[in-house]
Amino acid sequence: METAASPPPLPLPIDINPGIRRFLDDRFRSAADLVTAADVEAEIRERCSELEASVSDLYGRLQEAAAAFSSCHEVAGSALRGVRGGLGALQASVSTGVGEEGKVGTEQMQFDQLPALASEVARVEMVREYAEMALKLDCLVGDVEDAVSSSVTGKLKSLGDNSEQTHHIAIEYLKNIEDLLAAVTASRPQWTHLLSAVDHRVDRSLAILRPQAIVDHRGLLSSLGWPPSLAGSRFSSVDSGKQADIVNPLFSMTGDLKSKYSESFLSLCNLQELQKRRKARQLKGHNVDNQLREPLWVIEELVNPISMAAQHHFSKWAEKPEFVFALAYKIIRDFVDSMDEILQPLVDKANLIGYSCREEWISGMVIALSTYLAKEIFPKQIELLQESSSSDAGSTSYQARVSWLSLVDLMISFDKRTQDLISSSGLLLTVKDDDNWQRISVLSVFCDCPNWLEVWAEIERQETIDKLKSAMDLEKNWTSRIQGTMLEYESDDYRSPVIATTVHRSLSLLIDRARPIPSITLRAEFIRMSASPIVSEFLGYMLQRCQEAEGLTALADDNAVLKVSQSINAARYFESTLTEWCEDVFFLEMENLPVNAEGGCIFQQEINHLKEFRVEWVDKISTVILRAFDARSRDYLKNKRQWLEKPEGPAVSRAFIESLDYMQGQLSKLQGGLNTLDFVTVWRSVASGIDQLLFAGIFTSGTKISSGGVERLQGDVSVLFAVFSAWCLRPEGFFPRLSEGLRLLKIDEQRLRDGVFTDKNWLREYGIRHLTAADAEKIIKHRVYEA
């Protein structure tokens, strides 16, 4: 007796369709429910019969639609043949007309009817095109709905064995539909109702097709062994010895399993490419380019399960975030090669233009890590900072700030290494705008939570200021100069103290911390909250030093002037440095942002304050020198008799020489301590003040001047010019009123008898350009000529 054939083996649980699994779970909740197996089988057969009847009904409807299309086509063809016959009859009647007058009348009538006839022909032709397009689209959409329906039926019957083939057929129909809709949008945009109706039906099919494709793809990934096990490797340090690589199931795929995965991968890629085309068509004419780009679905399906598995390890290292970053980087690095070698060719085959699997993999893992940091790590850091601020223990507050800065250091280092993985393959971000940059940077957590950026900036600012305060309190940092800092157009240097270099270096480090922030606006806010206050703090410290020097000696002491000069030099150095920074592209991008209320450079306000400080104290130094010169030359100006006496010996005044000697000594000392540009401002200001002082004390005070007085004044002025010749080639140009007044005194008496010396042309003829006619008249009237 022959043995009965053994029944086919039952499918594995992982191969059972989720819908069928849920169905069976509902029917068989316990062993007692097995007695109803026959009823369940009958129910399944009944539902299959209903689905088969539905398919038969759809087939009948398709035949009816085809018959309607054929009938409509015949009616439209008959109408067109009638139009052609009418046109032929019209042409025949025109050619066989009798009599000229009758012919003209007939032609006029026919010409009047031609526009209406042409409009009717165009309307009939458009109706025919609309009918043909509607029927064609209806057939294709019906094919899509049948494919989707058969996919559902196939899953119930065969547990989804042919699902990939069914998906492929449905996607091909969808592509044909999209081609037709794109053509309609370009040629007949007024057919909005047709487009809307087709899009609505396609959306319903896609709402079923895409979840099915994703579920099938996840099932294949599970059968591949994805996600791989992350246990067994050490993640305490990325560089600590040789770590065991994570097994990559993508490299171990073979045979039928690899073929099925490739088909499923292509199906999802084709669906995404189709979705991208549909969005581009529907949003055409709107400025929504960023909305058209979505993460690569197939890479998301790889990232999500492995990131969930990684979070199990992350939760163990809440107090050691360096392990979290080490594991995340290891996962990215160990799988990035398979993205290029295995998956990228499939993406290219699906014509998904602008997608790099390497970049999408890194981006997906970075976003997953950023999400974990935002949910788990940063809230604990904020809580630690709040606890430390409420307590009196300074060490606790310090530890909280150090913990925060260490976390930021890990994030910056992680971003640099992951971005190196992108650039090392020869790939570059298509456009390094804020949106793309945020996708590959864990610092994007600050974009989602700007209040955390404020905390970071405040910690950086406080840490930097604490370090700078001790440096600013050391007097040797103000007396030692920076060597080799040359001006662009001058031969001298800024003579800035060493403290300026220290502050400059601290600012540079802060700005470097801001560079990786993946948002121009947030970078500007970070610099505004951290770096700008440090410049203001430094300026306030310099102002305090200058005010102390002024309060003690009123700047009459050489040491006080030197202390002020050091602050002026530092301000000049910083003003020049910030101006140079503002010409860099990094800062040019920040101009005209809302955070920069004044517009222009982000440091413009600080530059203006430094300039105001420098101008104010340069003016004070000039004023102190002028006041001392005025006090020493007071007797010289009060001696009116000397201008009427003939000089004996050298025609110079001793009192004036002593005043000049003091002024020259002060300027010489200042020249050795003040930077070149501001020293030029000082001596020019002193020269202008002396010019006004001597002109007012000698020429406009009613002093009578004889020829001997002119000779004495000429000698004094020559000494004055000789003193200032050390700093300029034509010193007389910086004493215009004094020079022109002396020139008027030297004019021969005979030339003044005509009395026209107040005429403007006469003044211009003698080179008088800085004196008014009234001044010239007063000087000449006090000139005493000997008989």
Side-chain angles (χ1 to χ4, degrees):
M1 183 176 179
E2 295 180 358
T3 60
S6 61
L10 293 174
L12 297 175
I14 59 172
D15 295 332
I16 299 177
N17 182 273
I20 297 176
R21 191 184 302 168
R22 288 193 298 271
F23 176 81
L24 295 175
D25 289 341
D26 291 339
R27 295 299 189 278
F28 301 102
R29 299 181 181 273
S30 63
D33 294 335
L34 291 176
V35 297
T36 62
D39 297 335
V40 173
E41 181 184 1
E43 181 182 352
I44 292 175
R45 292 184 182 280
E46 182 180 355
R47 292 180 62 178
C48 288
S49 300
E50 292 175 356
L51 290 173
E52 289 175 353
S54 177
V55 171
S56 300
D57 181 60
L58 288 174
Y59 180 72
R61 288 169 57 191
L62 178 61
Q63 287 182 328
E64 292 176 1
F69 169 76
S70 177
S71 175
C72 182
H73 185 274
E74 291 177 0
V75 172
S78 176
L80 288 176
R81 286 192 294 272
V83 171
R84 292 193 188 97
L87 290 175
L90 180 62
Q91 183 178 6
S93 64
V94 171
S95 61
T96 57
V98 180
E100 190 68 24
E101 294 181 0
K103 182 177 181 180
V104 171
T106 302
E107 289 180 352
Q108 182 64 37
M109 179 186 66
Q110 292 164 350
F111 280 128
D112 292 341
Q113 294 176 352
L114 279 178
L117 184 61
S119 176
E120 183 65 19
V121 171
R123 188 186 70 82
V124 172
E125 179 67 16
M126 186 179 68
V127 170
R128 183 187 66 81
E129 291 180 3
Y130 188 90
E132 289 181 352
M133 182 60 67
L135 288 172
K136 191 180 295 184
L137 288 170
D138 183 66
C139 290
L140 288 172
V141 173
D143 291 339
V144 171
E145 292 172 344
D146 290 345
V148 172
S149 177
S150 65
S151 175
V152 176
T153 304
K155 287 182 181 299
L156 289 174
K157 287 185 175 181
S158 59
L159 304 178
D161 290 341
N162 300 320
S163 59
E164 296 304 329
Q165 183 179 0
T166 306
H167 294 162
H168 178 73
I169 295 172
I171 292 170
E172 288 300 319
Y173 287 143
L174 287 169
K175 286 184 176 181
N176 294 335
I177 292 172
E178 187 57 33
D179 291 338
L180 291 177
L181 292 180
V184 171
T185 302
S187 60
R188 301 287 187 181
Q190 67 272 23
W191 293 355
T192 56
H193 293 293
L194 176 62
L195 295 171
S196 176
V198 174
D199 278 336
H200 179 67
R201 293 179 64 183
V202 169
D203 286 338
R204 286 191 303 178
S205 297
L206 285 174
I208 300 174
L209 186 61
R210 179 186 172 186
Q212 286 182 354
I214 289 177
V215 168
D216 292 342
H217 190 76
R218 289 175 180 173
L220 280 171
L221 283 175
S222 179
S223 63
L224 286 175
W226 191 274
S229 175
L230 302 179
S233 297
R234 294 169 55 205
F235 305 109
S236 58
S237 174
V238 176
D239 300 319
S240 61
K242 292 184 178 180
Q243 301 172 3
D245 291 336
I246 304 172
V247 177
N248 190 344
L250 298 178
F251 278 131
S252 60
M253 289 188 303
T254 56
D256 186 55
L257 191 59
K258 183 176 181 180
S259 175
K260 286 185 177 181
Y261 178 76
S262 299
E263 291 179 3
S264 177
F265 190 98
L266 281 173
S267 295
L268 274 182
C269 288
N270 287 327
L271 268 178
Q272 186 165 8
E273 191 273 337
L274 174 67
Q275 185 70 11
K276 184 179 178 182
R277 285 178 57 194
R278 296 186 74 237
K279 279 191 176 182
R281 171 179 57 81
Q282 293 169 351
L283 300 176
K284 187 177 182 180
H286 302 277
N287 188 19
V288 288
D289 293 337
N290 291 333
Q291 297 183 14
L292 298 179
R293 196 188 193 289
E294 293 182 344
L296 205 55
W297 296 347
V298 285
I299 303 299
E300 279 189 322
E301 295 305 318
L302 293 173
V303 169
N304 292 337
I306 200 170
S307 64
M308 292 297 294
Q311 286 188 20
H312 172 69
H313 297 277
F314 292 167
S315 60
K316 303 176 184 177
W317 302 325
E319 303 299 328
K320 293 184 177 295
E322 61 271 18
F323 292 172
V324 173
F325 287 97
L327 175 57
Y329 178 74
K330 181 173 178 60
I331 294 173
I332 292 174
R333 184 197 61 192
D334 288 352
F335 291 93
V336 75
D337 291 337
S338 62
M339 301 297 151
D340 293 337
E341 299 175 17
I342 298 177
L343 303 186
Q344 187 63 46
L346 297 176
V347 171
D348 296 338
K349 185 177 180 180
N351 293 324
L352 266 174
I353 300 173
Y355 281 97
S356 162
C357 287
R358 172 182 285 260
E359 183 180 323
E360 291 296 320
W361 167 253
I362 294 174
S363 170
M365 288 302 302
V366 166
I367 292 173
L369 178 58
S370 301
T371 304
Y372 178 79
L373 292 175
K375 289 183 177 179
E376 301 295 336
I377 302 298
F378 271 98
K380 293 181 180 179
Q381 293 288 333
I382 293 293
E383 183 179 352
L384 184 62
L385 285 170
Q386 291 174 347
E387 290 176 356
S388 64
S389 62
S390 61
S391 64
D392 297 331
S395 60
T396 305
S397 177
Y398 174 76
Q399 291 174 357
R401 295 199 304 269
V402 168
S403 176
W404 181 285
L405 294 179
S406 298
L407 177 61
V408 173
D409 289 339
L410 289 171
M411 295 170 71
I412 293 174
S413 175
F414 179 83
D415 279 351
K416 184 178 183 302
R417 289 189 294 167
T418 53
Q419 290 165 21
D420 286 343
L421 285 177
I422 295 178
S423 58
S424 63
S425 65
L427 295 175
L428 295 175
L429 287 176
T430 51
V431 179
K432 198 173 182 180
D433 56 13
D434 286 355
D435 292 333
N436 279 340
W437 199 352
Q438 289 174 21
R439 293 171 51 244
I440 60 168
S441 173
V442 290
L443 289 172
S444 59
V445 296
F446 294 112
C447 301
D448 300 328
C449 300
N451 56 318
W452 293 350
L453 184 78
E454 296 179 11
V455 175
W456 178 23
E458 175 61 24
I459 293 175
E460 294 280 4
R461 183 192 67 81
Q462 190 60 48
E463 289 292 313
T464 304
I465 289 178
D466 290 344
K467 293 177 182 178
L468 288 177
K469 279 184 178 180
S470 58
M472 288 189 290
D473 289 336
L474 291 177
E475 190 62 29
K476 68 176 184 179
N477 289 336
W478 292 92
T479 56
S480 303
R481 291 182 180 175
I482 303 173
Q483 300 297 326
T485 308
M486 305 301 291
L487 290 176
E488 187 174 0
Y489 301 111
E490 300 291 338
S491 60
D492 208 348
D493 60 22
Y494 287 109
R495 299 180 181 176
S496 180
V498 171
I499 187 63
T501 306
T502 305
V503 179
H504 172 267
R505 189 181 301 113
S506 299
L507 281 179
S508 298
L509 291 175
L510 272 181
I511 291 169
D512 289 341
R513 302 277 279 177
R515 291 182 188 275
I517 299 175
S519 168
I520 296 175
T521 302
L522 292 186
R523 289 197 294 273
E525 288 183 355
F526 181 85
I527 292 174
R528 203 85 192 105
M529 292 184 292
S530 61
S532 296
I534 292 175
V535 179
S536 301
E537 184 82 13
F538 184 53
L539 179 59
Y541 198 89
M542 291 191 294
L543 179 61
Q544 180 182 350
R545 285 176 58 86
C546 293
Q547 289 174 343
E548 289 176 355
E550 182 184 30
L552 291 174
T553 64
L555 300 184
D557 182 72
D558 291 343
N559 291 330
V561 174
L562 179 60
K563 184 178 274 191
V564 173
S565 299
Q566 292 165 350
S567 296
I568 293 174
N569 292 343
R572 166 68 74 174
Y573 173 78
F574 251 91
E575 181 186 339
S576 176
T577 300
L578 294 180
T579 302
E580 183 180 351
W581 280 357
C582 291
E583 296 173 358
D584 188 82
V585 175
F586 178 73
F587 292 99
L588 289 176
E589 292 177 338
M590 301 178 187
E591 293 185 359
N592 303 320
L593 291 176
V595 67
N596 191 12
E598 295 184 358
C601 178
I602 194 170
F603 289 115
Q604 192 60 51
Q605 185 176 357
E606 286 72 27
I607 292 173
N608 293 339
H609 290 166
L610 288 167
K611 184 176 182 180
E612 292 170 2
F613 165 81
R614 183 175 49 79
V615 169
E616 177 186 355
W617 287 95
V618 165
D619 183 65
K620 285 188 177 184
I621 291 177
S622 303
T623 303
V624 167
I625 296 175
L626 281 173
R627 285 176 180 173
F629 179 84
D630 181 28
R632 285 169 171 76
S633 60
R634 194 163 299 162
D635 293 338
Y636 169 75
L637 296 177
K638 286 182 178 180
N639 187 3
K640 307 295 183 181
R641 293 178 57 186
Q642 63 181 332
W643 308 117
L644 295 174
E645 298 174 352
K646 187 174 181 61
E648 298 178 0
V652 292
S653 302
R654 182 181 180 86
F656 186 66
I657 295 299
E658 292 176 353
S659 301
L660 286 180
D661 182 63
Y662 165 79
M663 183 268 298
Q664 183 183 22
Q666 292 298 106
L667 288 180
S668 297
K669 293 176 184 177
L670 198 61
Q671 185 179 12
L674 194 61
N675 68 84
T676 304
L677 292 178
D678 288 316
F679 174 72
V680 169
T681 303
V682 169
W683 74 253
R684 287 184 177 182
S685 177
V686 170
S688 177
I690 292 175
D691 184 51
Q692 296 180 15
L693 176 66
L694 296 181
F695 183 81
I698 298 174
F699 293 99
T700 63
S701 61
T703 304
K704 300 289 185 178
I705 304 177
S706 64
S707 298
V710 172
E711 184 180 353
R712 180 184 293 277
L713 182 60
Q714 176 66 43
D716 294 343
V717 170
S718 298
V719 176
L720 175 65
F721 290 169
V723 170
F724 279 90
S725 64
W727 306 303
C728 59
L729 295 177
R730 291 185 65 256
E732 59 272 13
F734 296 96
F735 300 89
R737 298 165 67 85
L738 192 59
S739 300
E740 292 179 4
L742 185 59
R743 191 179 304 154
L744 285 174
L745 292 176
K746 291 180 180 180
I747 297 177
D748 187 58
E749 183 182 7
Q750 296 297 327
R751 298 182 181 180
L752 300 175
R753 288 181 177 178
D754 53 8
V756 296
F757 49 81
T758 59
D759 183 73
K760 292 183 179 180
N761 293 329
W762 185 88
L763 293 174
R764 192 177 297 110
E765 180 183 350
Y766 281 91
I768 309 300
R769 294 180 176 83
H770 297 85
L771 301 180
T772 64
D775 291 336
E777 183 178 7
K778 184 181 295 185
I779 293 171
I780 292 174
K781 282 184 178 180
H782 289 88
R783 175 69 164 89
V784 177
Y785 292 95
E786 289 79 1

